[in-house]
């Protein structure tokens, strides 16, 4: 038991302090002329007798008597200060300076020429000190230069080398490269063997001693001995020093017991099964941190949204090398999903947030589903910031659990976007596209899009209404109205189009494995077509109605720049043409592509495409609905729609079937890449692909990789070039060719 003692500060009387005491506030201070006598004790108090320190007789013996006869000045009264100053001035004015002595003051005035002061300043004998200061604009300062020896100007460097002894023993037992880690962080290594002096080497040596201590402790050696010293060279001609670190790792500590301090969980071994630590393992810092991080992740994934992992405690026994590990965990209540609340600058309400979620009320809380909801909110592109956090309700949900509300804080971003793109392809020329989008004009997620295209061979404009996540996550409803003009070698068309579609599509932010689309469309188009009977081209009007359906399967790792996986897409379009009769038919197409990474830099890619039109003659199909091959997205090396049967005027007439194939080798270095490719394909009058008379194109391409996908530039040439075909064809676009 400890006893604390306190004491008040001692007074002057208690301590024998004979210094004058300061008067208290409000106390009157006597003047110097007052008769000040010490306070007298009361008359009824008897003071004790105190013996003098020095007896009177001894004091008188030691101090000689003062006699006025010996020194008459002792009996004279003291002169006043004014008389003293006047006498001193007269003496200085009459005195003659000796050799080397400064002259006295010219006048008896004080040094600052103020003769009214009671106590004067010290005499000033340097007249410059009392001279008036010059004006500021005439004040000049001459810098003082100090001469330096040439030897002082040269930078002196001390060379040294680093020698680490004893670390290899521990490095062999560790799963990490401790020597490599030391070399990458060492202050001595970063100095490149040069220092200004030996003191700098010593400072780096001390820093590296602490670094080695930290590295060894992180791998379980908690009591190493590390000695550092600077050793001069034995060779007198070699002045290089050696910074030597000697390491004795000592014992490597291991877990002797693992204790989890937590409330019971469901299942009972939830924490134990996710803690990747075992008795007998070395105490490695990275492994311990990783195991604790796994607990922090596993608990919210299994129904404990408010779990907290506390600070670990490891008790080390230096005699045995054992460590007892204790981890406190606050699990909190087991939770189940309830509803949603939201606040902030809202883009949509809580009901639409429920549409975006992939869980139902009453399901066991899973943080992975919460992360999925957060990604879906970000993918709407309506927020500059959005957060999702669980909130306790205290409402029982059965089975020792309670409901958890998800609170969404919204900060809506600018809803409008203006975008544009520019491309070029042989046979198509230049194409410029622009669009204006209001992504949330009709909440929730009701977008209005205006778009226009202007190019060498196509011009048009249109408007689109799009409802994203329409009543269901990832479902899009779209209505489009547009009018455009195409002027290709195969045909010239003025077209008006109305279409509606429901789809589940992939986007660069949210790539999906399964996709689908189905819809209807109506077209009215006036197109030029080759007339086999007359041998010329005439414009005909077609009215087309159709439905369409598409299925896709995608296992690739990236939408615009895949390096692994494959894709399959099937499209079926039953249509009917009304033009001097009713002509129904079916258009169908199958696309497949695959990607294989040979290395981190080299990717091999291949694709095939098959298409057919069944149920109608070639000239009963509008030219814009026929099948064509050739161009940047088909067979490079040829003009757009340039393959297939040709009319006598040398222009393509299209076909009812096609087949295409491409192989690419893509090599990437940093943000750039090169591509070598071979394409093949043909379009046929027949309804089924013939795989005959294939045309080939070869070429090289360049890629510039950006954060939104690669920019593509391909240059290709046809093999066995025919009359009228260009020798070189160039294609520029965003994204890979396939």
């Amino acid at each position: 038991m400890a006893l604390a003692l306190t004491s008040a500060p001692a007074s002057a009387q208690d301590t024998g302090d004979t210094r004058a005491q300061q008067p208290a506030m409000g106390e009157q201070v006597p003047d110097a002329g007052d008769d000040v006598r010490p306070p007298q004790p009361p008359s009824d108090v008897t003071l004790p007798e105190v013996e003098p320190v020095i007896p009177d007789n001894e004091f008188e013996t030691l101090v000689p008597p003062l006699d006025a006869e010996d020194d008459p000045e002792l009996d004279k009264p003291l002169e006043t200060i004014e008389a003293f100053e006047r006498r001193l001035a007269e003496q200085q004015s009459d005195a003659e300076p000796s050799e080397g002595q400064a002259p006295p003051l010219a006048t008896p005035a004080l040094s600052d020429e103020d003769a009214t002061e009671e106590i004067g300043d010290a005499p000033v004998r340097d007249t410059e000190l009392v001279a008036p200061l010059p004006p500021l604009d005439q004040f000049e300062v001459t810098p003082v230069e100090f001469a330096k020896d040439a030897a002082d100007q040269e930078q002196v460097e001390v060379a040294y080398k680093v020698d680490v002894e004893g670390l290899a023993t521990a490095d062999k037992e560790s799963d990490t490269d401790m020597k490599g880690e030391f070399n990458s962080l060492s202050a001595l290594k970063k100095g490149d063997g040069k220092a200004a002096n030996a003191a700098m080497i010593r400072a780096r040596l001390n820093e590296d001693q602490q670094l080695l201590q930290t590295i060894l402790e992180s791998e379980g050696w908690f009591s190493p001995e590390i000695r550092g010293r600077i050793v001069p060279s034995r060779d007198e001609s070699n002045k290089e020093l050696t910074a030597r670190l000697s390491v004795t790792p000592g014992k490597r500590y291991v877990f002797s017991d693992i204790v989890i301090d937590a409330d019971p969980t469901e299942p009972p071994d939830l924490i134990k099964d996710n803690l990747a630590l075992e008795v007998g393992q070395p105490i490695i810092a990275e492994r311990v941190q990783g195991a604790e991080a796994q607990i922090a992740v596993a608990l919210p994934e299994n129904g404990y949204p408010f779990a907290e992992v506390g600070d670990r405690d490891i008790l080390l026994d230096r005699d045995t090398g054992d460590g007892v590990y204790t981890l406190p965990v606050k699990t909190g209540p087991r939770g189940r999903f309830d509803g949603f609340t939201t606040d902030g600058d809202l883009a949509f309400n809580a009901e639409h947030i429920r549409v975006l979620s992939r869980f139902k009320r009453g399901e066991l809380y899973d943080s992975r589903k919460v992360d999925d909801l957060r990604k879906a909110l970000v993918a709407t592109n309506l927020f500059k910031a959005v957060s999702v956090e669980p909130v306790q309700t205290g409402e029982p949900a059965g089975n020792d659990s309670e409901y958890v509300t998800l609170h969404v804080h919204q900060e809506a971003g600018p809803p409008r976007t203006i975008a544009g793109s520019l491309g070029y392809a042989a046979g198509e020329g230049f194409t410029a596209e622009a669009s204006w989008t209001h992504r949330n004009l009709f909440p929730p997620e009701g977008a209005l899009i205006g778009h226009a295209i202007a190019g060498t061979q196509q011009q048009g404009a249109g408007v689109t209404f799009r409802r994203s996540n329409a009543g269901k996550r990832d479902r899009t409803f779209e209505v489009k109205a547009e009018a455009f003009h195409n002027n290709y070698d195969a045909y010239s068309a003025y077209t008006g189009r109305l279409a509606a579609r429901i789809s589940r599509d992939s986007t660069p932010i949210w790539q999906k494995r399964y996709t689908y689309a189905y819809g209807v469309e109506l077209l009215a188009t006036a197109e030029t077509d080759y007339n086999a009977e007359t041998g010329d081209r005439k414009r005909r009007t077609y009215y087309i109605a159709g439905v369409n359906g598409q299925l896709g399967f995608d296992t690739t790792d990236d939408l615009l720049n895949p390096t692994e996986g494959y894709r399959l897409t099937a499209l079926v379009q039953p249509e009917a043409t009304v033009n001097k009769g009713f002509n129904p038919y079916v258009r169908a197409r199958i696309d497949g592509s695959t990607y294989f990474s040979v290395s981190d830099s080299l990717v091999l890619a291949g694709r095939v495409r098959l298409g057919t039109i069944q149920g109608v003659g070639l000239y009963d199909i509008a030219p814009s609905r026929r099948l064509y091959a050739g161009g940047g997205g088909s067979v490079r090396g040829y003009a757009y729609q340039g393959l297939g049967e040709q009319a006598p005027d040398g222009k393509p007439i299209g076909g009812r079937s096609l087949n295409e194939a491409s192989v690419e080798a893509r090599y990437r270095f940093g943000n750039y890449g090169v591509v070598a490719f071979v394409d093949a394909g043909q379009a046929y009058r027949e309804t089924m692909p013939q795989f005959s008379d294939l045309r080939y194109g070869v070429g090289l391409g360049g890629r510039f990789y950006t954060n939104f996908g690669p920019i593509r530039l391909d240059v290709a040439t046809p093999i066995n070039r025919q009359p009228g075909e260009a020798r070189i064809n160039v294609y520029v676009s965003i994204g890979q060719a396939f």
Side-chain angles (χ1 to χ4, degrees):
M1 181 177 65
L3 179 63
L5 300 177
T6 59
S7 58
S11 64
Q13 183 178 354
D14 296 336
T15 59
D17 190 351
T18 59
R19 292 174 295 179
Q21 301 297 311
Q22 297 295 327
M25 184 178 295
E27 182 180 346
Q28 184 176 359
V29 182
D31 296 331
D34 294 344
D35 185 8
V36 180
R37 293 191 180 103
Q40 299 298 321
S43 58
D44 57 346
V45 176
T46 303
L47 297 177
E49 294 183 2
V50 179
E51 295 182 1
V53 177
I54 301 176
D56 292 341
N57 55 355
E58 183 179 351
F59 178 81
E60 292 175 356
T61 303
L62 295 175
V63 179
L66 297 177
D67 192 350
E69 295 178 357
D70 297 334
D71 189 356
E73 295 292 333
L74 294 177
D75 289 339
K76 288 183 177 182
L78 293 175
E79 63 181 338
T80 64
I81 293 177
E82 290 81 358
F84 172 76
E85 291 179 347
R86 190 181 306 109
R87 181 170 54 84
L88 179 62
E90 291 174 354
Q91 292 176 356
Q92 289 181 347
S93 62
D94 296 337
E96 294 292 336
S98 60
E99 185 178 356
Q101 182 180 2
L105 293 174
T107 65
L110 301 177
S111 61
D112 58 359
E113 300 182 359
D114 185 0
T116 64
E117 293 179 338
E118 294 184 2
I119 300 178
D121 297 329
V124 178
R125 301 185 184 277
D126 189 346
T127 58
E128 289 296 330
L129 294 177
V130 295
L133 292 174
L136 190 61
D137 58 353
Q138 300 178 10
F139 186 76
E140 296 182 359
V141 178
T142 302
V144 180
E145 297 183 358
F146 297 93
K148 293 185 179 180
D149 296 336
D152 295 337
Q153 296 178 356
E154 295 180 359
Q155 183 177 2
V156 179
E157 288 187 344
V158 178
Y160 67 89
K161 63 181 180 179
V162 183
D163 184 18
V164 181
E165 300 176 340
L167 185 61
T169 303
D171 207 357
K172 291 179 181 179
E173 299 181 26
S174 174
D175 295 334
T176 61
D177 182 8
M178 291 195 294
K179 185 175 181 180
E181 186 175 355
F182 170 78
N183 290 336
S184 65
L185 301 174
S186 167
L188 289 168
K189 293 287 186 181
K190 291 180 180 178
D192 293 329
K194 297 178 182 178
N197 47 50
M200 182 178 289
I201 301 176
R202 168 58 65 182
R204 294 174 182 173
L205 187 67
N206 293 337
E207 186 176 341
D208 281 0
Q209 282 183 257
Q210 184 59 47
L211 174 62
L212 280 173
Q213 178 90 16
T214 302
I215 292 174
L216 287 166
E217 288 181 352
S218 70
E219 292 295 316
W221 284 277
F222 290 96
S223 54
E225 294 183 6
I226 303 172
R227 298 181 300 276
R229 61 187 186 278
I230 300 175
V231 182
S233 175
R234 295 182 179 180
D235 186 359
E236 295 182 358
S237 62
N238 183 9
K239 296 183 179 180
E240 184 180 52
L241 302 177
T242 300
R244 181 165 296 160
L245 289 161
S246 300
V247 180
T248 304
K251 295 180 180 179
R252 193 180 195 189
Y253 288 72
V254 299
F255 292 112
S256 62
D257 194 11
I258 296 175
V259 180
I260 305 299
D261 183 10
D263 293 331
T265 61
E266 181 62 37
D269 295 332
L270 177 60
I271 299 178
K272 180 181 178 182
D273 292 344
N274 285 279
L275 185 66
L277 300 176
E278 297 180 3
V279 173
Q281 288 181 339
I283 305 176
I284 300 174
E286 186 176 6
R287 187 179 298 172
V288 171
Q289 293 170 351
E292 293 172 357
Q294 177 60 28
I295 294 298
V297 171
L299 285 170
E301 289 180 350
N302 291 272
Y304 294 91
F306 309 106
E308 295 181 5
V309 177
D311 296 330
R312 78 187 77 88
D313 179 70
I314 302 178
L315 182 61
L316 301 176
D317 188 333
R318 297 188 179 275
D319 294 331
T320 63
D322 292 337
V324 177
Y325 172 84
T326 303
L327 181 67
V329 179
K330 295 181 180 179
T331 60
R334 194 168 185 237
R336 295 184 180 275
F337 287 117
D338 188 18
F340 300 89
T341 59
T342 187
D343 66 359
D345 185 7
L346 303 185
F348 40 71
N349 56 25
E351 185 59 33
H352 190 64
I353 296 174
R354 184 180 295 278
V355 171
L356 296 176
S357 65
R358 296 187 187 274
F359 49 82
K360 297 180 180 179
R361 186 176 188 271
E363 289 185 16
L364 189 66
Y365 183 93
D366 189 338
S367 60
R368 290 167 293 189
K369 295 181 180 180
V370 178
D371 292 338
D372 175 79
L373 173 60
R374 186 181 296 108
K375 292 178 182 178
L377 290 167
V378 172
T380 64
N381 293 319
L382 296 178
F383 301 102
K384 61 182 178 182
V386 62
S387 63
V388 184
E389 299 294 338
V391 178
Q392 284 186 253
T393 65
E395 181 183 353
N399 297 324
D400 295 328
S401 63
E402 66 178 49
Y403 284 112
V404 176
T405 297
L406 292 182
H407 180 73
V408 179
H409 178 72
Q410 305 181 39
E411 291 186 24
R416 298 172 184 84
T417 301
I418 297 177
S421 65
L422 183 66
Y424 174 81
E428 294 180 83
F430 287 98
T431 301
E433 296 185 63
S435 65
W436 174 91
T437 303
H438 192 302
R439 295 186 299 276
N440 203 32
L441 185 60
F442 307 99
E445 296 192 74
L448 185 66
I449 305 167
H451 55 90
I453 183 170
T456 307
Q457 294 183 324
Q458 54 181 329
Q459 307 85 38
V463 62
T464 301
F465 169 75
R466 177 184 299 154
R467 173 82 70 188
S468 300
N469 299 299
K472 184 179 181 181
R473 168 83 172 268
D474 300 329
R475 183 168 62 188
T476 301
F477 172 71
E478 185 177 86
V479 177
K480 180 177 293 187
E482 57 187 350
F484 49 87
H485 169 241
N486 296 329
N487 186 20
Y488 301 124
D489 290 342
Y491 61 88
S492 172
Y494 294 90
T495 305
R497 178 173 178 263
L498 290 174
R501 189 176 85 147
I502 295 176
S503 64
R504 184 179 190 268
D505 299 319
S506 285
T507 67
I509 297 178
W510 200 272
Q511 186 175 354
K512 303 172 181 65
R513 174 158 293 197
Y514 300 97
T515 59
Y516 64 81
Y518 57 90
V520 298
E521 62 180 336
L522 299 173
L523 294 94
T525 179
E527 305 180 3
T528 59
D529 190 15
Y530 175 73
N531 190 324
E533 296 179 356
T534 62
D536 60 358
R537 291 182 178 266
K538 294 183 179 180
R539 190 172 300 277
R540 300 171 60 187
T541 301
Y542 300 86
Y543 300 97
I544 302 169
V547 298
N548 56 75
Q550 178 177 304
L551 291 175
F553 183 71
D554 188 351
T555 67
T556 60
D557 56 349
D558 191 272
L559 188 66
L560 296 178
N561 184 37
T563 60
E564 294 284 351
Y566 63 91
R567 294 172 179 165
L568 292 173
T569 304
L571 172 66
V572 178
Q573 295 176 295
E575 295 180 354
T577 299
V578 179
N579 182 17
K580 296 182 181 180
F582 181 78
N583 297 305
Y585 56 90
V586 176
R587 303 172 78 238
R589 192 182 72 215
I590 297 177
D591 291 270
S593 58
T594 185
Y595 311 89
F596 175 73
S597 292
V598 179
S599 65
D600 292 339
S601 302
L602 180 61
V603 175
L604 299 180
R607 76 170 183 96
V608 294
R609 171 180 290 174
L610 301 174
T612 181
I613 299 178
Q614 300 285 336
V616 70
L618 178 63
Y619 292 104
D620 292 325
I621 307 171
S624 63
R625 310 301 287 175
R626 299 170 191 171
L627 300 178
Y628 298 88
S634 176
V635 182
R636 287 163 290 185
Y638 300 90
Y640 178 68
Q641 300 179 340
L643 296 181
E645 184 177 347
Q646 306 291 311
D649 58 5
K651 297 180 179 180
I653 62 174
R656 293 185 294 173
S657 66
L658 66 81
N659 46 233
E660 297 172 357
S662 300
V663 176
E664 286 190 350
R666 304 170 180 172
Y667 183 79
R668 178 172 179 173
F669 47 95
N671 290 329
Y672 300 91
V674 294
V675 175
F677 58 85
V678 178
D679 293 350
Q682 188 60 278
Y684 306 94
R685 176 186 286 264
E686 293 82 3
T687 59
M688 294 298 293
Q690 302 301 300
F691 301 100
S692 60
D693 193 25
L694 293 176
R695 301 300 307 277
Y696 297 89
V698 297
L700 294 173
R703 303 290 185 268
F704 176 66
Y705 293 91
T706 68
N707 57 357
F708 57 85
I711 298 176
R712 172 169 66 105
L713 170 63
D714 288 339
V715 179
T717 185
I719 295 178
N720 192 22
R721 184 169 62 93
Q722 302 298 317
E725 294 177 346
R727 185 181 299 276
I728 298 296
N729 292 272
V730 179
Y731 312 92
V732 180
S733 67
I734 296 176
Q736 298 286 6
F738 58 90

